[in-house]
Amino acid sequence: MPLLRFDLIEGRSKSELKALLDAAHRAMLAAFKVPERDRYQIVHEHKRSRMIVEDTGLDIPRTDDVIILQVTTRPRGREAKELFYRLLVEELERSCGIAPSDVMVSMVENTDEDWSFGHGRAQFLTGELAGASGED
């Protein structure tokens, strides 16, 4: 946890997708200080005509490399979120050649009771996960 959902235009190779997911994971590890195996990533690929990503009037250029990333997570502080945004675009640009202008992120926060990792239990609440009483 966090859960990362990537929406992007179809056409990337398997190795390009792996590089993208690995880069995002490195940024998440550094910014949120979660365990290495705390990795939950889903990629949704769309036809070009199925994604409209404008710039909210900020004059941000977009290309077909655009990524919308939705991060579902326990509450995070402002500094951790801003660090994640910065590290994410740095990692994606360095590892994948994706321009920072092509990366849009939305954080969705929830609480410990909103997570079950299997077996029908809320592991943050039962204490089965280390650090179960607050942020990762």
Side-chain angles (χ1 to χ4, degrees):
M1 189 317 284
L3 171 63
L4 281 63
R5 175 196 162 126
F6 299 81
D7 286 280
L8 43 92
I9 296 169
E10 65 187 0
R12 288 179 169 92
S13 70
K14 187 184 283 190
S15 63
E16 289 171 322
L17 287 173
K18 181 179 181 338
L20 186 154
L21 297 176
D22 288 349
H25 189 62
R26 286 191 299 274
M28 189 195 64
L29 291 172
F32 296 158
K33 309 294 186 220
V34 297
E36 178 78 27
R37 288 182 44 120
D38 225 355
R39 189 168 182 170
Y40 301 92
Q41 299 172 316
I42 302 169
V43 174
H44 294 270
E45 295 182 281
H46 306 274
K47 294 184 183 310
R48 177 68 190 104
S49 63
R50 302 289 195 254
M51 281 187 66
I52 299 173
V53 185
E54 295 184 350
D55 63 6
T56 315
L58 297 171
D59 268 344
I60 299 172
R62 308 282 191 203
T63 72
D64 284 352
D65 285 339
V66 70
I67 296 168
I68 297 177
L69 174 57
Q70 183 178 60
V71 180
T72 304
T73 181
R74 301 160 89 187
R76 305 282 170 187
R78 177 180 174 170
E79 288 181 12
K81 289 177 186 177
E82 289 180 336
L83 179 60
F84 176 73
Y85 301 148
R86 182 177 56 79
L87 293 177
L88 176 66
V89 298
E90 289 173 1
E91 286 283 351
L92 289 173
E93 187 169 39
R94 185 178 73 248
S95 301
C96 307
I98 297 170
S101 58
D102 273 329
V103 182
M104 180 179 164
V105 181
S106 173
M107 295 273 178
V108 178
E109 293 185 340
N110 59 21
T111 64
D112 291 353
E113 65 192 39
D114 297 313
W115 293 92
S116 172
F117 295 91
H119 300 293
R121 296 190 298 271
Q123 286 86 351
F124 285 129
L125 300 179
T126 64
E128 294 172 74
L129 284 172
S133 62
E135 287 190 16
D136 296 305

